[in-house]
Each structure stands twice: as C-alpha cells, then as structure tokens.
Amino acid sequence: MAPQRSSLDGSAEPPADYDEFFEKLQIFHEQRGTTMDPAARVNGKHIDLYKLFHVVSYRGGYDTVCSEKLAWRKVGQDFNLGQTNTAAYAFALKTVYYKNLAAYELKTVHNIDPPPPEILENISAKGGDLKTRTIENFKPPQAKEQISEQNSEVSGDEGRTPKEEKMEMDDPGSGGGRTTRGLRQAPPQRVLFQPDITSSRQSRHVSNHLQQSPQPPNVPNSSSYNYNPSSNPNSMSFSIANYEPRPQMPLTLRPVTTPGNNPVMFKERLRLVKEAAAARLGKTSPSYKGMMLPGTGFEGPNIYVRTLNALRSGVAEEQDYALHHLVKISHERGDKYKFEAFPGLAEGLIEKLLEITDLFYGFKWEITYVNDGIDQDNVLDGVNGSTEMLSRIQSLHKLDVPDEMETEEFSDNLTKIIEAGLVIRNMTMLEDNAEYLSKQHPVRDLLSILLSLPDIPAVTELRHYALDIAEQLTKYWSLDYSDPLYRLLLEQLSGSDRGAILTTLRAISRISMNLDESNRLKGVTLHTIRSICEWTLLDDEELVGACLDFFYQFTAVPENVAFLLTSFQDGSLALDSLLKNLGRLLLYRADERTERRVLSPAVPANSATEIPPVPVDLLEQLMTFDESDRSSHWLRACFEEDPSSDITQIALWQAYQQCFTELSTPQKPMLAAAEFIKNVSTTFTGANAQVISGPNPKFIIKGIRYRHLPMDLKRRVYTRCLWKPPASPTICGEFQLNSRNMYEHIVNSHLRIPRVECQYDFTAAKTAYALQDRKFHCHWAGCRHFAPTHGTSNPYEAGMHIKTHLSDTTEMAPARASHNVSAPTTGAIGNKAVVNGHVEPRDDGIPDDRNLNGRPATYSYKSWFVTATDERGDAMGLPLTSVLVLRNLARNISKAVIVLDTDNLGGGAMLTTAEWMDRLFGPLRGNLWYVMAHNRPLVGYVGDLMSAVEKGISG
C-alpha cells in the first residue's frame, strides 16, 4: 500500500523529498529483511512516517525521546491522537516508530549499524538504548508468568502455594475412627466462618437402619466396580462432601468516637468538666465571648504584603526575610507580581540598591520627592531626575576595600544588595513592570551609579543585572550623548566581557524603540565601530546578531553614514570588508532545497514473443554440465522472472527438447518432462506450475517470461547483430557477448576486410572493392549514413562509423557517459521516433532492440536556498539584518555625500554618489544577484537593495 501523501507542516503539498524518503526506507527494510507498514494507524488515524521520523529526529532521536519523561505523549500531540487514554496512544505511536523507523534512524542519522531484527523489530518497544544494544548485552523482556515459572523452577517446591488435596476419610465400620464423628469442611475465603452448633453425634432415637454401620456390598469377582464411600448417603464422607455453610449474616458496625477522630468534642467535654469543677469550688472563669484572642481570627497579611512591609521596615532581619522571598517570588511568579499592585515596592528596592555606594565609597544617597534639598550632592531628585550625575559619581573616592578577603558584614550587605538587583531584573522581564519602572526617574540615576562601580569581581554580577535592566527599559527612554547613562553604556563596549558587550549592544539598539523619536546614536567612537566590525567575523550567532542590530540603527542616520565614509576614505576603517562580510551573511546557514521536474517520462519495457536462440559458445558451455544443472543454466540464460507473465508447459518442454535432443548422449541424458517442470520451480523461486481450468485445461508456468537476449553463465547479456543487406530478407541475428566481438564480426563477415598478422589490411580491402566497383555501406538496422554519397571508398571511415552503433563497454564508459547531454541509447539506432512515451514499431523487418529493458525517466533539477524564516515564512535572523544594513547604506550614501559637501567634512576632493556606490557595492553585485536568484525569503529585500544600488550608480 502506498503511503498517504502529507507534508510535515500539514499543508496539501508534500515536501520535495517525500517520495524519495519512502523509496529509501522501503529499500532499507528489504535489505534488512523486515517489513515496513506505510499505512500505520493509531486510534484510527493515519501516521505519516515521514513526519514522525522528522519530529523524533528533531527531538534528538529515539533514545533521547525515550529518556525524557512523557516525551512520546508530546510527540503524539503533533498527530492529534486525542486527549483521552494518552498513555496507550503514546505507546502505540512509539511502537510504530520502533517497528518502522528506529533502525533506519540509527543507520542514516547516527551512522550506526542497527541491532539485528531479533532484538529490535521482532520484540516489544519497551525501553531504549538502541545505540548500544547488542545480542550480548540485551536481555529481552519476559512475561510475569514466565518469571514466576522460572523462579519456581529455581527454588523447587519451596515457595509454591500448596494445592488443596482431597481429605482421606475412614471408611464406615473401620477401626481408624468413629463413624458418628466427622470433620468440618473449611469455608471459602473472605466468608465469615459460622460454626455448626448442632451435635455431631448420632442420637439413640434414630431409626434402626442407622444403628448399625453399613457395610459395602459384596460383589465378588467384579474388578470393574469400585466402591466409593462418599456416594453412600449414610456415610460421613457424603455429609462432608455435600456440606454447605450457612448464609452470611451481615454485621452491624457502629463508629466509635475517639480523641483522634473527633478532638473538638473531647476538648469541649474537657472544658465542661473543668467549668463544673470550678463551679463546685465557687470559682468562675472569665468570659472571652466576642473577643478576638491572639492568634485567632485574622490570619495576617499575605506573603506579598508581608515582604513589602518587611523590606520598608529597615530592620536587617526583616529585610533578609523579604529579599529571600522576593527573589523566589519574582522568579516563579514574575508573570503575576506587578509593581503597580504593590505601591512602594519599587522604591524600596531602589533604596536598597543605592546602599552599594556606602560599601565602596562610604557615601549614602537619598531620594527626595520635594524641592527641598535637591541641590545637595547626596540627594537624588525623584520627580524630575538628577543632573550632573557623572561629575557627582566621579567625585566619589573609593574606599580601600579588599578584593579577595571580605568581612562577614561586608559580604552579607553585598549579598542583600545583589538580591535586590536580581528581584528588579526578574520583574522587569514582564512588559508591564518594565513600563512602570521606566517612569521612575531614580532608576536612570541608579543604573548610572551601578555601571560606574569599580571594575572588580565582587560587583560583576550586579553590573550584569544593571545591563539586563537597561536592556528592558531603554526602549521607553530617549537618550542622547549628553545623558550619563548613554555614555556609560558606550564605555561598556570597550571591555572584554562577552556577556556585558552583548547586553550593552542590545540596550543601545533598543533606545527609543517604543517612542516616536529616532535613535540617532551620536558620539560612537571610531574604536567602537572597528570593534563591532571585528565582532561580526566571529562564529557567534548571538553576538553577531546584536552587532547587526546596532549597525541597522546606526546606518539609518545619514550623518553616521557620512562618518563611516570619511573613516573609510582616510583608511582608518575597512568599510569594504564589512560590506563583504555582510554579503557572506546573506546565505548564513542556508538550507539547500532541490526541485525535480520530469523532462521525459519512463518508457516501459517491451515483451519478448519468442525464446531467444542460444549462441554457439554458450551452448558449448551448457553441454559441459550434467542434468539438472544444465537445464537450470539454460532456463536462466533464456528466461527471466516476471510475476505477471506465464508460459505454457508444453512450449517450455518443446524448447528444451529442440535445444538438447540432438546433443544428448546416454552418458548425459535429458530430464523427463515431470522432472523438468519441477526443476523450473527450483530454478526460479517465484515460478510455479498452475492449471487454468475450463473446457480445455491449460497447463502453464506462472512467474517467468522470455528474455529478449540470451545471458551467459556470468549474467552478461549478449548483443544481436542487426546487419541487414538490401538483398537479404532478414537480419544477420548472430549473438556476440561484447561490442569488441560484434565489431570484429561485422568487419570480417559483412565488410569483409582481411586481417594480416592480427591487423586489418585496409589497402587490400580498398583494392578489392575498387576492382569490383563497390563501396562500403552501413546496413546496421536501416542506417542511411552513407546514403547521400552512395557509400564510401575508405574502409577505415566505414569501420569507425560502425563503432557508433555499438555500446561502450570499456572501463572508460562511465567517465564518457558523465559528459553526455542525454542518456545513452542501447541497441538499434534507427529513424523511428518516440511518441507518447512509446517507441513506434518498425515496419522494415528489423527487430527493435532500443527498448528491450525500457528506459528510465529523465529529470531536471532546480536548486535554491532557504535561510531562517518565522512561522509565517518571512525572513528573519542574520540574513535579514544583513540585507537591511546594506539597504540602509545604499539608500543613505547619497544623503551622506550631501552632508559631507555641506559641512565640508571630507577635507578635499570627495567622491560622488555613483563613485561611492561603485566602490562599495561594485564587488558585491554578482553575489547580490546570486542571492536574489537563489534565496527565496530574501528576494524582496535584495530587490529593494539592488534598485537602490542601480539608482545610485546611474546617478
């Protein structure tokens, strides 16, 4: 059954390699000796093996999915197997993969030889570790019954549950026991035992026929009769065997009240006892009715309010409690914990973070929300923001704080401050909290203070938290070069900490992103630009992406582009190298796709209508064998397997007789008819003798057909000579094993060119033909090559032409075939055309050998690239950012030239826009055209870029 065609993403059009995948999978199972189920179903739904293979491979493969908890249920969600009984559906899906794809994954993905089917496909899908599974280390799972039987065999009879054995009773009248006394039968399990209270002794007032012990009947000489006491209703065995217990009596259970199951009642009883005792002594206890005692009633504030109050209390122990819980809450419940729901929380955390200067500078900051005292150096304006923060920070004097040995008090205070920074960092990941915090003016001053701390390991973690906070908040701020925070962010790019550089680039690129104002990025030094250009060469996708985001914002301003041009002109910046690298990134991690189109359809093979004659050399080889080997070799030489064809048994037997009757001898006789027919099924495993019933039954051999051309013992196919002179009604028809022998046959037999000392004597042949006034012609399959000239007088030319009709069987044939424009043709080459995929039959009496085995279809292949795309199919990632940076440069070069001319920044003769375009984008034009033709997600963007480039070059 052919698999249902479906695509990995659920679309109607299957992927390009869909059919190729199933062909390779089918071949793999055939070679492995297993069976593939292309129509596997789970819960009545068809499972696409192509999609299942790629989903599991994306998750790391079979072993990785098995090692992850509930991973197969997650895989099953991609196939919509249902929400109920998910465990059973997940195991069924796992079994489908295990039986059909697990071994194929090991071979193709991991390049590992899979375990044999006996320990893989032929057993249950329980467990994993297929990569390391071998016959030596694998123990197959056993059923519970097998395990219990094995344990019983090992332990012997010990541990077995003893079977109930039949009780041996004394016969009535025997001396082994009293007849009037019996044993009670054990009651069934889980049934309350009710003893028999009636007396087991017989009373004296019973009838006389019960007073004497009954005797078994005396049946002499009767070996076929066995006396069974239990069958006698007067025997005690009969009573025991037919004993039935009394019907069950339901028990009435009443609950017992204890202090364990009802402590409230016992507590109330105890209180009443105490009050009664006090009343007897004349003492009365005070009444608390209507009063709220401590620890009862109101349970206190929740954890959120509790931590907020503890943080604002200023008590060290309370702040430790608050910060500990705030870190946990902000990490686990950051999506619910908002600043606006808890007034004063943000201010308390900011005040805690400002204590960092007291540790390193002995300086305490204060925040005021009134106009009084804002001119003091240690006072921060909480309403409008502080001014001259850089000068105030730089005026602080660092204390002599040891970098390695810290006091316990210093370490505890620093830990609390870092925890406060971590809480703000976690909470700003929520968009609402980031927007709320961006409106708090002390936050900008706080970030400036944190980024100005000494460069020591103790504050590295806190500096990273500050940069993470800045990354989330800068999109709500408009920063220019006069802003201290902006200048401090630029200073971070001169460091060597990758994490700090990455976060800083993101923070700078996001400035005023959510505002109407544009990010001008003024004041960026040439050293910083060169460093960012060098970072784009690294094999670090995350860092390169941040650098390209910075360049996208930077090149959007014409003044910045003018700065790049002047730096490139004076040789201080390799701008052309940057553009070359951006062109390389346009195909970053591109996935090559190939589309196959049919040029010519496949041509089916023609069916032979008669048994091919056996060549003389092959017949000589067959006569060296004895029967039944001789008939087997003859069958393989003249017939081939075909499940849809059949041959009559009489035709096959007559062909065998015609071939070997004259050559058989008493020493090598022929097979009998029955033995011969039986040998056909032995030679061809798919052939079998059948009878077609009807008025005239027909005896056939099903599963074989005639060969077009005979085959020798080494499975080499002979070639038929198609030489047909005009005067001859038939072709030569002689078989040759290879092209060399066929060429010699034509030259010797048909062209009649003599040979002298193993070389052809062309001079003698030319003289002989000239005396007869004849010329050399080609009569191979109706060839008319020499027809316009009525033949050729040059035998060498005729001989070279004959070779064009023969197939190339030399060692250089594969190398020559690789240069062919079309697939080579075999057999006869005539003037007949192929119509609708089939060769027209000849009408000149020449057998058409061009289509003996058919011809495969020919295809054309078209390749293209696909870079990173989002869920909608739009471009994303480094290729998109690279083309956007190039487009900004192409669009703004003309504006930058105007800026240079206006401000006279070039310092001498400046290049025109066309010259700049040709100098920067000229080397990239070929690469850009290639990307535009092959990278489909970037076609629109590269088209806009090329339009801007061509417009700039043309002036």
Side-chain angles (χ1 to χ4, degrees), residues 511-629:
I511 292 176
S512 65
M513 181 183 295
N514 290 8
L515 303 178
D516 295 335
E517 303 177 14
S518 60
N519 185 9
R520 313 286 302 179
L521 292 182
K522 295 293 184 180
V524 182
T525 62
L526 180 61
H527 174 73
T528 302
I529 296 296
R530 281 202 298 261
S531 299
I532 298 177
C533 292
E534 294 173 356
W535 294 334
T536 58
L537 300 173
L538 299 176
D539 187 15
D540 189 339
E541 184 176 359
E542 195 174 16
L543 181 59
V544 173
C547 294
L548 294 181
D549 289 339
F550 173 85
F551 274 127
Y552 175 70
Q553 298 289 339
F554 188 80
T555 55
V557 181
E559 289 79 5
N560 295 339
V561 177
F563 173 71
L564 295 178
L565 296 181
T566 55
S567 302
F568 174 61
Q569 190 173 18
D570 60 22
S572 57
L573 179 65
L575 186 58
D576 55 344
S577 298
L578 174 62
L579 268 64
K580 182 178 179 181
N581 188 32
L582 293 177
R584 176 185 63 87
L585 293 175
L586 294 177
L587 292 176
Y588 181 78
R589 292 190 178 180
D591 183 17
E592 186 176 3
R593 306 287 178 84
T594 303
E595 179 183 4
R596 187 178 69 175
R597 296 181 179 179
V598 179
L599 292 180
S600 61
V603 178
N606 293 334
S607 299
T609 58
E610 59 182 6
I611 301 176
V614 180
V616 177
D617 57 338
L618 177 59
L619 187 59
E620 293 176 354
Q621 297 179 34
L622 293 176
M623 293 306 298
T624 60
F625 294 95
D626 296 330
E627 294 293 356
S628 62
D629 292 339

Side-chain angles (χ1 to χ4, degrees), residues 435-457:
E435 184 176 2
Y436 176 88
L437 207 60
S438 65
K439 301 175 183 179
Q440 303 293 324
H441 291 279
V443 175
R444 295 172 68 167
D445 300 335
L446 171 65
L447 294 178
S448 300
I449 294 171
L450 295 179
L451 296 179
S452 302
L453 292 175
D455 188 10
I456 58 176

Side-chain angles (χ1 to χ4, degrees), residues 55-288:
V55 169
V56 175
S57 299
Y58 178 79
R59 291 177 174 267
Y62 179 85
D63 287 352
T64 304
V65 175
C66 291
S67 63
E68 181 182 353
K69 188 176 182 180
L70 303 181
W72 283 106
R73 298 190 186 184
K74 299 177 183 178
V75 174
Q77 294 176 0
D78 296 339
F79 294 85
N80 299 323
L81 300 180
Q83 300 299 326
T84 60
N85 203 10
T86 56
Y89 298 156
F91 185 78
L93 185 63
K94 176 183 177 182
T95 303
V96 171
Y97 190 94
Y98 183 86
K99 299 289 186 182
N100 297 277
L101 300 170
Y104 184 75
E105 174 200 330
L106 295 177
K107 187 66 177 178
T108 60
V109 178
H110 305 290
N111 198 18
I112 300 175
D113 291 333
E118 291 78 10
I119 60 174
L120 187 57
E121 290 90 344
N122 297 347
I123 63 174
S124 173
K126 293 183 179 180
D129 299 329
L130 299 183
K131 298 180 182 178
T132 58
R133 180 181 295 184
T134 60
I135 297 179
E136 292 76 15
N137 64 12
F138 178 73
K139 295 182 179 180
Q142 298 179 350
K144 295 182 179 179
E145 293 79 6
Q146 296 179 357
I147 296 176
S148 61
E149 291 176 3
Q150 293 177 0
N151 294 337
S152 300
E153 292 176 0
V154 174
S155 58
D157 292 337
E158 298 178 4
R160 287 190 179 182
T161 301
K163 296 183 179 179
E164 181 180 0
E165 299 180 356
K166 188 173 182 180
M167 185 182 303
E168 298 181 359
M169 301 297 297
D170 295 332
D171 295 338
S174 63
R178 300 178 60 177
T179 61
T180 58
R181 193 175 186 88
L183 298 178
R184 302 187 185 94
Q185 185 178 1
Q189 296 183 0
R190 297 182 298 276
V191 178
L192 295 177
F193 176 72
Q194 298 180 0
D196 186 6
I197 60 176
T198 61
S199 176
S200 62
R201 295 179 177 269
Q202 299 286 346
S203 65
R204 296 183 179 181
H205 301 285
V206 295
S207 58
N208 293 331
H209 67 277
L210 294 177
Q211 292 180 358
Q212 296 181 356
S213 300
Q215 299 295 332
N218 187 11
V219 184
N221 300 328
S222 178
S223 59
S224 61
Y225 176 80
N226 293 326
Y227 173 70
N228 186 4
S230 62
S231 62
N232 189 352
N234 297 326
S235 66
M236 187 59 62
S237 300
F238 179 83
S239 301
I240 295 175
N242 294 275
Y243 170 78
E244 293 183 0
R246 292 185 178 182
Q248 303 179 11
M249 300 294 293
L251 298 180
T252 303
L253 302 179
R254 292 177 296 178
V256 179
T257 305
T258 63
N261 58 25
N262 197 348
V264 177
M265 185 185 71
F266 278 87
K267 184 178 180 180
E268 182 65 18
R269 289 180 180 178
L270 183 61
R271 184 184 64 80
L272 294 176
V273 170
K274 289 182 179 180
E275 290 181 356
R280 286 194 301 268
L281 297 176
K283 300 179 180 179
T284 57
S285 57
S287 176
Y288 301 106

Side-chain angles (χ1 to χ4, degrees), residues 319-320 322-324 327 349 352-353 355-356 359-360 406-423 458-459 461-462 465:
Q319 289 185 347
D320 289 345
L323 292 173
H324 172 76
V327 169
L349 293 172
K352 188 64 180 179
L353 279 172
E355 296 179 5
I356 190 68
L359 295 180
F360 292 96
E406 299 175 352
T407 63
E408 182 179 1
E409 180 182 3
F410 181 89
S411 178
D412 293 341
N413 293 333
L414 181 60
T415 301
K416 296 176 185 177
I417 295 172
I418 293 176
E419 289 179 349
L422 177 58
V423 172
V459 296
E461 182 180 0
L462 187 59
Y465 293 157

